[in-house]
Amino acid sequence: MMTKPYLALGLAGPHLVELTTNHQLLERWDALPVAFSVLGIDRIDGSAPAPVTLSSSAVGATLASATKRGRFLIAASPQRDHPYNIARRVASLAHLSGGRSGLLIGVRDAYAPEGPKDAPAWGGAGLGGGAPLNAQTAYDTARAVRALEQSWPYDSIIGDRETGILVESNRILHVDIENSFSIAGPLNAPAPETGASVIAWYAETATDRPPTSDDTPIELILGAAGSVPVVALGKEPPVGQFAGIVLRAGIEQSVSELLDAAERWLADGFVPSALGGSLRATLNLSLPAPLPSTARAAFPVPQPHVSL
């Protein structure tokens, strides 16, 4: 028996502006039983930049605080940002949203300026050259984000008033990454209570699929070469067995039109996703393995406060 796919939404730049400036639309989006929405999918899917957009992570922060149920992936690329900065945003959004957020990593960001020709990754913001801009760099970025988000275990925060030890700081670990980037770590924010954030990849063709490794951080592949194809609003769902479908509006189409179509699809062939809850639980994804036990501790074992 075929399993019904879940439904997700793809929002481009103008839709982010429309959604965050219309309270009624925001309430309607928050009440829609879809698995997640991609905020700014046009940043990384090869589209030309639209006349207007908003920062994907800034919109994520707005939705995390203004809504209670809707889940989302922010779109990011190493073209503009160093992995450490992406990791800090990803972890912060997971804390703000209660685990309703995740990351869609891309090779290029259509809205980012070109960086230095010899090292265009992490050079788009004019902060200095970093690495080649290719799939391996994006993949290494995802690996860095995953490791950094796990470097400060959430349950190391114990708040022991009797000893004065608030954090078992010896459990905070260096990540010691040496690939496209050189990062010692750790992240200066604890891991989300709901665990490391979901990391997705966009692949329209087989050649767009991510590199592979035993410790791959990629848990979800969107696009025609993945398990969750992207379908333009106005088209029919593809034939076949898929985990889910992303319904994507064009920039000439409105958020209202997208939500109207999503409601019709949910009533005909798609399984509604539970309202609220973490993105990881909704997609039935297991928690990634923790950092290896051989990782260096960033701090010594804390001692009871001498005045207690």
Side-chain angles (χ1 to χ4, degrees):
M1 184 176 70
M2 294 184 64
T3 303
K4 291 182 177 180
Y6 62 73
L7 185 62
L9 304 178
L11 301 171
H15 308 128
L16 303 183
V17 178
E18 186 182 359
L19 181 63
T20 54
T21 55
N22 185 318
H23 185 68
Q24 290 181 328
L25 272 183
L26 201 57
E27 286 188 336
R28 192 177 167 197
W29 174 82
D30 196 33
L32 198 63
V34 296
F36 59 85
S37 296
V38 182
L39 307 180
I41 193 171
D42 56 332
R43 283 187 178 275
I44 53 84
D45 71 353
S47 299
V52 296
T53 192
L54 293 171
S55 161
S56 182
S57 55
V59 172
T62 298
L63 297 185
S65 59
T67 66
K68 297 180 179 179
R69 294 161 293 198
R71 291 168 290 262
F72 54 86
L73 294 169
I74 64 166
S77 155
Q79 183 175 354
R80 182 191 296 271
D81 294 305
H82 189 276
Y84 196 94
N85 294 332
I86 297 176
R88 194 158 43 192
R89 292 179 201 162
V90 168
S92 297
L93 286 171
H95 283 288
L96 285 170
S97 68
R100 292 185 285 137
S101 58
L103 169 67
L104 174 60
I105 194 76
V107 176
R108 289 182 172 275
D109 183 336
Y111 292 90
E114 292 292 331
K117 289 184 179 178
D118 56 344
W122 185 36
L127 299 176
L133 192 57
N134 55 34
Q136 186 63 54
T137 300
Y139 186 72
D140 288 343
T141 299
R143 294 174 70 189
V145 169
R146 169 57 47 77
L148 285 164
E149 202 180 17
Q150 294 181 296
S151 61
W152 180 348
Y154 179 82
D155 61 3
S156 69
I157 304 172
I158 58 174
D160 188 339
R161 295 184 179 181
E162 292 188 1
T163 62
I165 297 174
L166 304 181
V167 177
E168 294 174 331
S169 51
N170 58 306
R171 295 177 57 199
I172 301 174
L173 303 173
H174 287 288
V175 294
D176 288 331
I177 291 171
E178 287 291 346
N179 47 38
S180 300
F181 300 91
S182 179
I183 305 171
L187 195 65
N188 58 356
E193 183 177 8
T194 50
S197 300
V198 174
I199 299 180
W201 183 275
Y202 183 87
E204 191 60 29
T205 68
T207 57
D208 298 329
R209 291 178 65 85
T212 57
S213 64
D214 291 338
D215 61 343
T216 181
I218 307 302
E219 302 171 279
L220 186 67
I221 299 181
L222 310 185
S227 61
V228 186
V230 178
V231 178
L233 178 58
K235 302 290 186 181
E236 294 297 320
V239 176
Q241 180 78 4
F242 302 104
I245 299 288
V246 176
L247 181 60
R248 184 200 192 285
I251 62 171
E252 75 285 356
Q253 296 164 315
S254 68
V255 174
S256 288
E257 291 174 292
L258 179 64
L259 299 185
D260 287 345
E263 289 169 351
R264 290 195 298 271
W265 282 27
L266 286 166
D268 184 19
F270 284 80
V271 61
S273 298
L275 293 172
S278 77
L279 178 58
R280 180 170 296 283
T282 298
L283 299 179
N284 196 28
L285 296 172
S286 58
L287 285 170
L291 294 184
S293 58
T294 53
R296 290 187 301 137
F299 303 99
V301 176
Q303 302 299 315
H305 197 284
V306 294
S307 65
L308 297 176

